[in-house]
Each structure stands twice: as C-alpha cells, then as structure tokens.
Amino acid sequence: MGMRKVRKEAFLKTHPFCIFCGGTVLTDTVEHCPPRAMFPDRAWPEGFEFPACSNCNHGSADDDLLISFLARTDPFTDGEGDDGRMPDIIRSVHQKFPQLVSKMMPSAIEARAMNRRLGIVPEPGATNQEAGPVRVTDEIDNAVRVFAGKLTKAIYYLHTSQVFPTNGRIGLKWFTNADLVTNNGRYRVFESFQGLDGIVPALVRSRSLLNDQFEYKLSLSTDFELMALQARFGRGFGFAVVACTDRAKLDALFSSVEERMGKPNPFKPI
Ligand SMILES: [Zn+2]
C-alpha cells in the first residue's frame, strides 16, 4: 500500500462519517473544501480535508469548476500568483456551460465604465471586459450556494468536531467583485459584522500564508448552536453566513430582525 493510501485510510478511520449530509452516512472519500482548483498551483490550505460520502463529494464537480472560475476573476490582480491555468478553466467552463462566460461578461461599455471607476487598466492585449468585474448568472449563484453550504459545514466541523445536523439552517449573503465596485472596494455586510467576536485563523501551506487568497472569520456561540462566518476569496468573491443547528430558532431570529428593521432579511436559506 502506498503512503497516500495509508494516510487516506487512517484519515477515514478517524473520521468515519460524511460531514456534509448530517453525519450518518459512512465515508468513502476525502474532499478538499475549498476545492484545490481555486488556488494557484493547487496550493490549498493544510487541514482542509474532510470526510465525504461519494454522493456529496462527486455531486458538486461542476459547481467546483464555476467556483474556481469565480475565485480567479479578481479585477484588481496584477498577474501576481497567476499559475497560467485560467485559460484551461475557461475552456472547461465553456464546454460544460455553453454561453455562460459571455453571459457573465459585462458589455464593453459597462466594463469600461466600471474599470475606470476602479482604476483598473487592462494589461496589454486584454480588453476592458476581460479585466473587469463579472455578472452573476443563475448557474453561478447556484454554485456559490452549494459551495458556501459545504464550506460552512466544513468549518463548523473543523472547529467543533461535530457534524452540522440536517435539522440545522444556513442563511447566506454573498458578493462578487462587482459589489466591491459599487461599494468602493468594501464588503458592506462584513462591516456590519465587525463588532462580533471571532477568530481569523492563519491559513497555511508549507509555511506560506494563504490568507490573501482565502480568509475567514468565525464567530461561534459557546454551545456551538449559532455561528456567523465571513469568508473571502481574494478579491474574486466573498460571503457571510449565519447558521444555527436548530432551524426553527434561526427562522424565528430572522423574522424578529425583519420585523424590527422593516425590510426583508438578506440572508437566504441554502
Ligand atoms: Zn454525504
């Protein structure tokens, strides 16, 4: 048996149940969450490997592709950390989701206006559309919802050693680089979470810090019932999650906030 197989078997022995579907299904695979393809040179953070049943692991391959694409659409990038894989990723997205890439691209006029506001100058040979922020389509929205749900459960497991239950509820609000444009480079929902106590772990691979590519802040109640999670993927996209292991409690909390604020709750259930 090779070392990789030995390690995998040891991992699955310690973590026998899938953490993505409630913790009752025996695991047969190890899932990298966030997916490795999101990171240049596949240098994903150490320790972000989770037990997954094959249904949960393989069910989201197309979503992982879209997420990797989105994470790499950083309008502020200067080519630093570019591993040259973006053309391959775009080609795969084209194959699996014909026309999606063109639907995501803003028009040339929109792109020029946005880039001017952001001070983005396309690199030689690139158009404003290629350099600029993207539009969100239903496919992308769906992929982010699947991904955010999985990452929330993964981070919950990492910090509590408990599986997020099927009776739990996860509410999501997410943003693209285009929202950064309209808010002068700020994720406004993150600012409203600023007063929450939480931890921002250092994410590392081979002693290099990866927080510029992926960073999160986790706030967790001492009984592990309620959590708030803010995650950011470079300047490609980000999300905020409010989750509770008891869905009725979270629904009640959201309704009381709606009543007080007099407007709809921006956190949509996953
Ligand atoms: Zn599962």
Side-chain angles (χ1 to χ4, degrees):
M1 221 169 14
M3 257 331 273
R4 257 178 82 183
K5 201 165 174 214
V6 172
R7 254 203 314 262
K8 183 181 163 189
E9 288 195 351
F11 179 85
L12 295 180
K13 214 169 174 182
T14 330
H15 305 276
F17 294 105
C18 175
I19 63 151
F20 298 107
C21 54
T24 54
V25 178
L26 276 170
T27 327
D28 41 23
T29 63
V30 177
E31 175 154 353
H32 295 91
C33 184
R36 278 175 292 187
M38 280 178 78
F39 299 92
D41 301 317
R42 293 164 79 82
W44 79 101
E46 285 159 9
F48 282 73
E49 291 165 346
F50 301 93
C53 68
S54 49
N55 255 355
C56 288
N57 198 349
H58 300 134
S60 57
D62 284 354
D63 295 328
D64 288 354
L65 175 66
L66 292 180
I67 291 299
S68 304
F69 176 55
L70 193 62
R72 286 162 180 260
T73 56
D74 178 351
F76 302 90
T77 188
D78 51 6
E80 196 190 319
D82 185 0
D83 61 359
R85 289 198 61 239
M86 190 58 165
D88 275 347
I89 291 178
I90 292 187
R91 209 168 301 130
S92 309
V93 171
H94 257 310
Q95 269 165 13
K96 297 219 161 143
F97 303 92
Q99 286 161 19
L100 179 66
V101 175
S102 59
K103 273 198 285 179
M104 287 177 70
M105 290 277 195
S107 74
I109 293 169
E110 282 171 336
R112 197 173 337 130
M114 281 196 283
N115 288 347
R116 202 174 290 156
R117 273 177 70 182
L118 284 167
I120 294 172
V121 180
E123 284 179 41
T127 63
N128 269 296
Q129 282 167 295
E130 285 162 346
V134 297
R135 263 198 206 130
V136 175
T137 65
D138 290 347
E139 294 94 332
I140 295 281
D141 182 58
N142 184 56
V144 172
R145 304 186 73 73
V146 171
F147 167 62
K150 284 188 125 174
L151 187 63
T152 300
K153 291 172 183 174
I155 289 175
Y156 185 81
Y157 184 71
L158 200 61
H159 290 267
T160 68
S161 302
Q162 293 177 17
V163 176
F164 194 79
T166 47
N167 183 44
R169 176 85 87 206
I170 298 172
L172 169 74
K173 168 100 178 94
W174 75 277
F175 335 82
T176 63
N177 53 27
D179 297 293
L180 281 176
V181 178
T182 48
N183 291 310
N184 297 320
R186 288 155 42 198
Y187 285 137
R188 213 176 292 157
V189 115
F190 284 3
E191 290 173 9
S192 67
F193 276 33
Q194 240 168 21
L196 278 181
D197 278 341
I199 49 163
V200 181
L203 306 180
V204 175
R205 168 124 235 126
S206 309
R207 295 199 203 142
S208 327
L209 199 61
L210 302 177
N211 287 45
D212 59 333
Q213 297 162 46
F214 166 40
E215 185 169 68
Y216 68 87
K217 177 178 173 184
L218 173 68
S219 311
L220 195 61
S221 65
T222 47
D223 57 5
F224 299 161
E225 192 179 50
L226 194 63
M227 82 188 264
L229 175 69
Q230 301 164 75
R232 199 173 50 82
F233 300 89
R235 281 164 298 188
F237 72 107
F239 64 75
V241 146
V242 180
C244 184
T245 53
D246 179 338
R247 63 171 60 197
K249 276 192 187 167
L250 192 63
D251 292 348
L253 178 72
F254 280 153
S255 336
S256 76
V257 170
E258 277 186 9
E259 223 164 89
R260 214 170 49 231
M261 312 277 284
K263 58 181 181 189
N265 164 34
F267 290 88
K268 301 284 173 253
I270 291 178

